[in-house]
Amino acid sequence: ETITTLYIGGLNERISEHDLRDQFYSYGEIKSLRVIPRSACAFVTYTTRKAAEEAASKLSNKLPIKGARLKLMWGRPQTTPSPAPDSSAAALAAASAAAQQSSNFFNLATQPPAAPAFAPLPPPVYAPPGMPSTGYYASMDPSRMGSSTGG
């Protein structure tokens, strides 16, 4: 296996990146640590598989930080190739894609955006040439069909 990333779930707002780094650094060199507050999770990536395996075996089912019992699992492999080290724009795009991918924990199919709840208005209807444009239908005209305006 070439996966070197561990998933940590069940984070709360009291657990900081520093707390996670303190817990994981003793097992090997950490390549990256990404905390995703919106999803209450984090990803720790080690530089070697051996370090990741050691952390996983030692911390599995016993990872309490600040009173929270955290869930530890292997991270999924990323499908995007890693960018060149000097390409900061590519690194930002890859991190954004990884964050979006990591928020889909149950591999649910993504839904296309829903159509608006209302239909667009039809184009205006104009009176044919030679007909008065009164703003109402002939059946609504009070001077027609026997109505009287006085008397």
Side-chain angles (χ1 to χ4, degrees):
E1 292 280 336
T2 58
I3 300 172
T4 58
T5 300
L6 298 175
Y7 161 85
I8 300 97
L11 298 181
N12 62 40
E13 62 279 350
R14 296 184 310 133
I15 299 171
S16 68
E17 181 177 332
H18 182 73
D19 297 327
L20 292 170
R21 205 170 282 280
D22 284 349
Q23 191 76 18
F24 286 92
Y25 84 96
S26 61
Y27 300 103
E29 184 181 350
I30 296 175
K31 181 178 179 181
S32 71
L33 194 152
R34 290 189 318 265
V35 177
I36 304 170
R38 185 183 76 200
S39 302
C41 71
F43 294 90
V44 177
T45 303
Y46 285 95
T47 55
T48 64
R49 170 72 181 190
K50 182 179 178 191
E53 285 178 353
E54 185 176 348
S57 67
K58 298 261 173 72
L59 297 174
S60 181
N61 294 324
K62 44 189 170 283
L63 184 55
I65 298 178
K66 291 188 175 178
R69 190 168 196 79
L70 305 180
K71 183 178 183 178
L72 180 70
M73 298 180 353
W74 284 103
R76 288 187 304 222
Q78 292 183 342
T79 56
T80 57
S82 58
D86 62 338
S87 174
S88 59
L92 181 60
S96 173
Q100 283 182 337
Q101 179 185 18
S102 66
S103 65
N104 189 3
F105 300 116
F106 303 108
N107 291 326
L108 299 174
T110 56
Q111 299 291 328
F118 56 89
L121 295 174
V125 177
Y126 297 104
M131 297 283 291
S133 177
T134 58
Y136 48 81
Y137 295 104
S139 62
M140 298 167 57
D141 185 354
S143 66
R144 298 182 52 112
M145 300 187 44
S147 65
S148 62
T149 57

